[in-house]
Amino acid sequence: MATKNRAVPPIPIRYTICLRHTLHALLALGTLLDASLARSQLVPGSMDVHWNGGSQDCKAVVQPPIQMHAYNQRTFILRENLCATFEAPFMYLLVGSTKALLIDSGDVADPKLMPLASTVMQLLAADGPAKTALLVVHTHRHLDHRAGDEQFTRLSNVQVVGFDIDSVRHFYNFTDWPNGLAQINLGDRMVDVIPTPGHNETEVSFYDRNTGLFFSGDFLMPARLLVSDSSAYLVSAQRAAAFVRDHPISFVLGGHIELDANGETFPWESHYHPNEHVLQMTKDDLLALPGAIISFNGFYTRSGKFVLMDPMRILIALSVFTGVILIALVMALVLYLRRRRSSRTLQTAVQE
Ligand SMILES: [Zn+2]
């Protein structure tokens, strides 16, 4: 049977454009739905907490050494008191079905002054005796993030990961540091490890897929961002931004707070933080970080809510400046003394 070969009329251009727009709108809607679905699958938690702001007179006011906030039933935020240490670092405990993870061990070693291990082990015991296997890791090697390690090393069923660069690379199996990602499996809870050097060469950030919390250590926090390698910092910020773009983020939680609610810095080493900035930062803050680092002048830069500085360079510049001033003063003094001596010699010669 012969069929009639009908010519298909071309689709008018305006309809093609219209279809393209509709397709784009649907794709955008799909992406939005994906993002909100991913967000809704996160285990929720609360950041409704007021952190203890220390005191102007720590000897007069007795405060508990550790403040603990339960973000949810299996996620805990711990902070060392400002009166115990001006660093007042934050530590994070994530409990999974087979293992728990402690991110950082704080700035105070002595368990009598800072009962960190006993606090953590009590929280784990409350979750059931079978769930006390613990892994202690660090955002980076600085002492204010690992001084409490000693409290854990002698405990059974606890593993403390080394803080030097070789230990970090080896433990997470980073073969092309600082590229790539690693994972920590806590049973029903997976945590991604993202290399973020720049503040320190060993710095890593952690992303908890369960809650969408991004733990940024000293890489991003409401505090002075101390840059030791600005090129590495920028690459890390770009890497972290690329990561969070594809992941739902509930909050970004760092290692310290050094800003007040208006974004002004507290004095260095202050034990008193009145009207402190909240701990939590956002996905947008992390996405804005690369731009802030690009604008960094190498010494001190305020860019939006970020305070970036390189303390070593500032110290060197100050030393050079002080040295130049001292040399100029000494030269001026020598010149003055020489002139005085020669004018006296001249006076004596005239008198004779
Ligand atoms: Zn720190």
Side-chain angles (χ1 to χ4, degrees), residues 87 89 140 142 144-145 199 218 221 255-256:
E87 296 279 10
H140 61 294
H142 288 158
D144 56 314
H145 298 263
H199 165 68
D218 290 6
M221 54 183 175
H256 308 267

Side-chain angles (χ1 to χ4, degrees), residues 84-270:
T85 160
F86 69 85
E87 296 279 10
F90 287 88
M91 295 150 291
Y92 302 95
L93 180 65
L94 315 180
V95 184
S97 57
T98 58
K99 202 183 275 184
L101 179 72
L102 178 68
I103 300 174
D104 285 343
S105 65
D107 190 39
V108 183
D110 189 343
K112 290 189 204 94
L113 301 173
M114 188 59 64
L116 177 65
S118 56
T119 305
V120 167
M121 297 325 268
Q122 272 170 24
L123 285 169
L124 295 182
D127 202 61
K131 294 182 185 172
T132 49
L134 175 68
L135 181 68
V136 181
V137 295
H138 312 98
T139 53
H140 61 294
R141 68 177 299 158
H142 288 158
L143 192 61
D144 56 314
H145 298 263
R146 62 172 174 84
D149 280 8
E150 278 288 300
Q151 296 186 26
F152 294 93
T153 44
R154 271 169 262 123
L155 300 178
S156 61
N157 223 7
V158 176
Q159 183 183 5
V160 180
V161 176
F163 52 80
D164 60 285
I165 188 68
D166 287 340
S167 301
V168 170
R169 286 160 74 152
H170 181 74
F171 180 78
Y172 298 115
N173 197 23
F174 282 115
T175 51
D176 184 27
W177 175 270
N179 297 305
L181 295 172
Q183 280 78 38
I184 300 171
N185 189 345
L186 305 177
D188 60 350
R189 199 168 185 176
M190 195 67 90
V191 175
D192 293 292
V193 187
I194 306 115
T196 47
H199 165 68
N200 179 256
E201 60 162 356
T202 62
E203 182 108 26
V204 291
S205 294
F206 299 90
Y207 173 72
D208 175 25
R209 296 184 195 176
N210 182 276
T211 56
L213 292 173
F214 190 96
F215 302 99
S216 52
D218 290 6
F219 164 66
L220 176 60
M221 54 183 175
R224 297 170 182 88
L225 302 182
L226 305 182
V227 181
S228 68
D229 181 340
S230 56
S231 311
Y233 216 127
L234 176 60
V235 175
S236 293
Q238 288 165 335
R239 182 183 302 111
F243 180 90
V244 300
R245 230 172 252 128
D246 295 336
H247 293 80
I249 303 292
S250 45
F251 297 107
V252 176
L253 303 176
H256 308 267
I257 302 175
E258 285 176 349
L259 304 182
D260 67 16
N262 302 316
E264 297 303 321
T265 47
F266 291 114
W268 277 106
E269 304 191 359
S270 173

